[in-house]
């Protein structure tokens, strides 16, 4: 069996066992996970079987790509539609960026660490050359106002407290934010905006790397 077909088999097994069988029902999410080879977003020393394990993996510089279930769960909480604009804070490996683009979103993704951003851009565009994605290298602690408002904002690292200004960057007609919140003990939170009205919902306990708050000069 060549590695391309074993990759597709492992992907199908991951989608069935780690996503569909445990409550990920959105077909667009499942199809996107089928399309994106996870091994292209982790260091080459990680073997194919390990790349498809349902656990986080190191991506260098002390950062990790989340386990597939958590990525899918957050996307399901986000309830984004194809054509929606999405801000992703924490590009990291670019894996989730690729999943969002494969679902037909217009993505703006922001990453603090230039080396990760460069690799992520390469990896994503190799698979999805025509994707509608803007890669920004900057501090995204308080979002990215130049391209706001967004239909969806997804944060892939955890701040101790809710950063200022993120809700203001949501589309006032039902824009939604999904973010892991907390220091050591973290929870996934979603916030839905309707005008000035914000509805917050708490979900799973999680463990993310910290959302770094760079010192402002
Ligand atoms: N979604 C990513 C997960 C990456 S881990 C993936 O699929 O691989 C979280 C990322 O957030 C790290 O790459 C880290 O460098 C980045 N990050 C942390 N604080 C940040 C900040 N203030 N602005 C932008 N990116 C940040």
């Amino acid at each position: 069996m060549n590695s391309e077909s074993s990759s597709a088999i492992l992907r199908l097994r991951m989608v069935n066992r780690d996503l569909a069988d445990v409550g990920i029902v959105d077909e667009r999410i499942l199809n996107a996970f089928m399309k994106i080879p996870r091994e292209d977003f982790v260091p080459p020393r990680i073997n194919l079987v390990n790349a498809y394990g349902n656990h986080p993996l190191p991506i260098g510089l002390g950062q990790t790509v989340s386990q597939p279930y958590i990525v899918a769960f957050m996307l399901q909480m986000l309830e984004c539609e194809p054509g929606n604009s999405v801000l992703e804070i924490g590009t990291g490996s670019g894996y989730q960026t690729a999943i969002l683009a494969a679902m037909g979103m217009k993505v703006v993704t922001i990453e603090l660490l230039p080396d990760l951003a460069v690799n992520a851009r390469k990896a994503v565009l190799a698979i999805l050359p025509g994707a509608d994605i803007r890669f920004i290298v900057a501090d995204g602690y308080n979002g990215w106002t130049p391209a706001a408002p967004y239909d969806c904002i997804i944060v892939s690292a955890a701040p101790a407290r809710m950063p200022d200004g993120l809700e203001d960057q949501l589309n006032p007609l039902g824009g939604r934010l999904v973010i892991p919140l907390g220091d050591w003990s973290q929870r996934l939170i979603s916030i839905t905006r309707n005008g000035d009205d914000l509805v917050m919902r708490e979900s799973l306990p999680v463990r993310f790397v910290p959302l770094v708050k760079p010192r402002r000069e």
Side-chain angles (χ1 to χ4, degrees):
M1 196 164 44
N2 66 31
S3 69
E4 212 169 289
S5 60
S6 43
S7 164
I9 289 167
L10 287 166
R11 216 173 309 142
L12 181 60
R13 194 174 72 171
M14 172 188 83
V15 166
N16 287 331
R17 182 193 57 189
D18 301 329
L19 307 182
D21 287 355
V22 287
I24 306 299
V25 292
D26 185 329
E27 287 292 329
R28 279 178 296 119
I29 296 178
L30 298 173
N31 288 337
F33 273 85
M34 263 318 291
K35 235 186 246 172
I36 304 301
R38 191 164 158 89
E39 67 273 25
D40 290 7
F41 296 88
V42 296
R45 66 183 161 74
I46 292 174
N47 72 38
L48 201 53
V49 171
N50 202 9
Y52 283 99
N54 196 20
H55 42 67
L57 287 166
I59 56 171
L61 303 177
Q63 306 303 322
T64 54
V65 53
S66 302
Q67 75 187 83
Y69 176 71
I70 293 295
V71 177
F73 187 88
M74 288 175 81
L75 294 174
Q76 200 157 268
M77 278 177 88
L78 206 56
E79 287 180 36
C80 253
E81 304 284 331
N84 279 178
S85 59
V86 183
L87 172 66
E88 177 191 47
I89 302 175
T91 315
S93 68
Y95 180 65
Q96 182 178 270
T97 319
I99 299 276
L100 285 165
M103 290 172 71
M105 314 299 173
K106 295 182 195 149
V107 186
V108 175
T109 184
I110 184 162
E111 170 59 52
L112 190 60
L113 303 175
D115 289 356
L116 289 182
V118 166
N119 286 340
R121 186 172 192 279
K122 252 190 241 153
V124 176
L125 294 182
I127 301 166
L128 303 168
D132 188 342
I133 308 174
R134 281 177 66 189
F135 290 86
I136 314 283
V137 182
D139 167 27
Y141 189 89
N142 299 103
W144 179 252
T145 50
Y150 305 98
D151 300 308
C152 302
I153 301 179
I154 183 165
V155 187
S156 301
R161 267 163 262 97
M162 183 62 83
D164 291 333
L166 291 184
E167 300 100 339
D168 301 340
Q169 291 167 50
L170 286 174
N171 180 342
L173 303 172
R176 186 169 289 117
L177 162 72
V178 173
I179 184 168
L181 208 57
D183 236 330
W184 184 243
S185 141
Q186 305 166 0
R187 278 203 176 259
L188 284 179
I189 305 284
S190 78
I191 291 176
T192 308
R193 176 177 180 195
N194 279 299
D196 291 334
D197 193 32
L198 299 175
V199 175
M200 190 173 110
R201 204 161 56 90
E202 238 187 63
S203 181
L204 291 186
V206 283
R207 177 67 49 83
F208 276 78
V209 295
L211 184 69
V212 175
K213 189 176 189 175
R215 268 227 215 109
R216 309 279 150 84
E217 303 309 328

